[in-house]
Amino acid sequence: MVMTMTTIDEQAAVLALTKATRDKPWFYTARIILDAGSALALLDRRCASRDADDRAHAADITAQVLPGDLAWARDLVTAMRDDGVHLVTVLDDAYPGNLMWAYDRQPFLWIRGDIRPNDHRSVAVIGEVDSGHAASAARALAQAGITVVAPLRSALDAAVHQAAHDAGGRTLAVLSGGIAEPATVDEYASMAEQIANCGALVSAFWPDAAPTDRTVALSRIVTCGLADCLYVVDGAAGGSSAGHVEQALQTGKYVFVSQRLHQEQPWAARAGSRGGMTAVQDIDELPKQAVNLIDMTPGTNTY
């Protein structure tokens, strides 16, 4: 991937502004960068927002950027690129279209592998215990030509990616830590390498960030954002699946759940009572419903 100096400078400015963001979630910074149309313009104190809070946030973070931050950021982009990882920011055309439409889009993504234009036709497969069911869902979706999105933190997640690959499909793995931090993939390092060859590893954190409860929660933003919709296999109240469902519904993403989950877990029924959720009776029905939903959704891809 060849980048011009202008692109590197803009990307470095995005990283510097994000680094300076301390008192608000990072998506606030992503929003004001998009409003300005240029991170470098923000650094020059040119904030285009009409919102007083956004103007105050812009003034705060630009004041926090240190003289050496841009050079640090350029060196980081170059070093990661040399390691086979490329950076995509909200200013880049390659920023995934599904995620761009989320209000809490992240300022940047580190990517090992590649995200392709057709990956916007994607379904996130989420679960906690039933690896067999999750793998069957991933296989059926991949056979229908749908890209599968999933975390890479558990045996169930690994089964999802493996099943989709075995069916000839592509997967996007959303990491819960830095893309260069070994603890992020831990025992699933070989699976991570396979995913990078058949899709992409995606991280919204600093490359050396270790996974924490906070980064795990924040990674749901990217998982739900990258996918056009979700399929949730199982999960207990207050668990990872419930967190993904809440995030998806907040950002307007449709959720499919297994019939068993809907019947056995009251939290799922309560979440579905707000709309935006369908219980799927069997795996064969999932790809049909997902394809119908995806193909009825206006294209949001920005590649």
Side-chain angles (χ1 to χ4, degrees), residues 170-237:
R170 287 173 49 79
T171 70
L172 307 179
V174 179
L175 304 181
S176 57
I179 201 163
E181 168 54 53
T184 296
V185 294
D186 198 16
E187 62 192 285
Y188 305 110
S190 61
M191 175 57 67
E193 183 177 352
Q194 181 178 332
I195 293 166
N197 292 327
C198 301
L201 303 171
V202 183
S203 171
F205 308 105
W206 300 119
D208 61 352
T212 65
D213 289 344
R214 180 175 178 274
T215 61
V216 169
L218 288 173
S219 68
R220 295 171 191 155
I221 294 173
V222 181
T223 302
C224 296
L226 285 175
D228 192 88
C229 56
L230 274 67
Y231 178 64
V232 184
V233 173
D234 61 7

Side-chain angles (χ1 to χ4, degrees), residues 4-289:
T4 66
M5 282 305 296
T6 300
T7 300
I8 292 175
D9 287 344
E10 280 287 2
Q11 291 191 325
V14 171
L15 294 182
L17 289 165
T18 304
K19 181 183 178 184
T21 305
R22 299 184 177 94
D23 298 330
K24 290 184 179 293
W26 283 1
F27 71 82
Y28 280 76
T29 298
R31 184 172 66 216
I32 61 172
I33 290 171
L34 280 172
D35 285 345
S38 165
L40 291 170
L42 272 184
L43 287 176
D44 288 337
R45 307 299 198 272
R46 288 180 280 154
C47 178
S49 177
R50 297 180 180 179
D51 183 89
D53 288 341
D54 281 354
R55 291 197 302 273
H57 178 56
D60 177 62
I61 62 173
T62 53
Q64 301 298 323
V65 175
L66 301 175
D69 283 348
L70 283 175
W72 162 82
R74 282 193 294 268
D75 289 345
L76 179 60
V77 173
T78 300
M80 294 306 298
R81 186 178 60 194
D82 290 344
D83 192 40
V85 175
H86 62 276
L87 177 68
V88 175
T89 77
V90 288
L91 295 174
D92 295 315
D93 290 340
Y95 194 88
N98 286 342
L99 184 56
M100 180 61 78
W101 283 85
Y103 77 90
D104 50 2
R105 68 185 78 82
Q106 298 300 283
F108 60 81
L109 302 171
W110 298 100
I111 299 172
R112 188 185 297 276
D114 67 310
I115 298 180
R116 299 176 182 175
N118 207 42
D119 286 336
H120 77 279
R121 302 184 75 255
S122 57
V123 175
V125 177
I126 304 298
E128 296 177 10
V129 177
D130 194 343
S131 296
H133 187 141
S136 295
R139 186 179 303 109
L141 291 166
Q143 289 171 342
I146 295 173
T147 297
V148 174
V149 179
L152 185 58
R153 296 186 58 244
S154 68
L156 183 147
D157 298 332
V160 166
H161 290 287
Q162 188 64 62
H165 294 170
D166 290 345
R170 287 173 49 79
T171 70
L172 307 179
V174 179
L175 304 181
S176 57
I179 201 163
E181 168 54 53
T184 296
V185 294
D186 198 16
E187 62 192 285
Y188 305 110
S190 61
M191 175 57 67
E193 183 177 352
Q194 181 178 332
I195 293 166
N197 292 327
C198 301
L201 303 171
V202 183
S203 171
F205 308 105
W206 300 119
D208 61 352
T212 65
D213 289 344
R214 180 175 178 274
T215 61
V216 169
L218 288 173
S219 68
R220 295 171 191 155
I221 294 173
V222 181
T223 302
C224 296
L226 285 175
D228 192 88
C229 56
L230 274 67
Y231 178 64
V232 184
V233 173
D234 61 7
S240 175
S241 292
H244 278 93
V245 169
E246 185 66 25
Q247 174 65 34
L249 294 177
Q250 283 181 1
T251 53
K253 295 297 178 77
Y254 204 85
V255 177
F256 295 103
V257 299
S258 68
Q259 185 72 24
R260 180 178 178 181
L261 174 64
H262 192 264
Q263 290 175 341
E264 295 183 358
Q265 291 291 335
W267 71 262
R270 286 195 298 271
S273 68
R274 293 178 288 172
M277 179 185 289
T278 294
V280 179
Q281 297 198 13
D282 57 61
I283 294 296
D284 291 339
E285 191 65 23
L286 173 62
K288 298 176 186 176
Q289 294 206 34

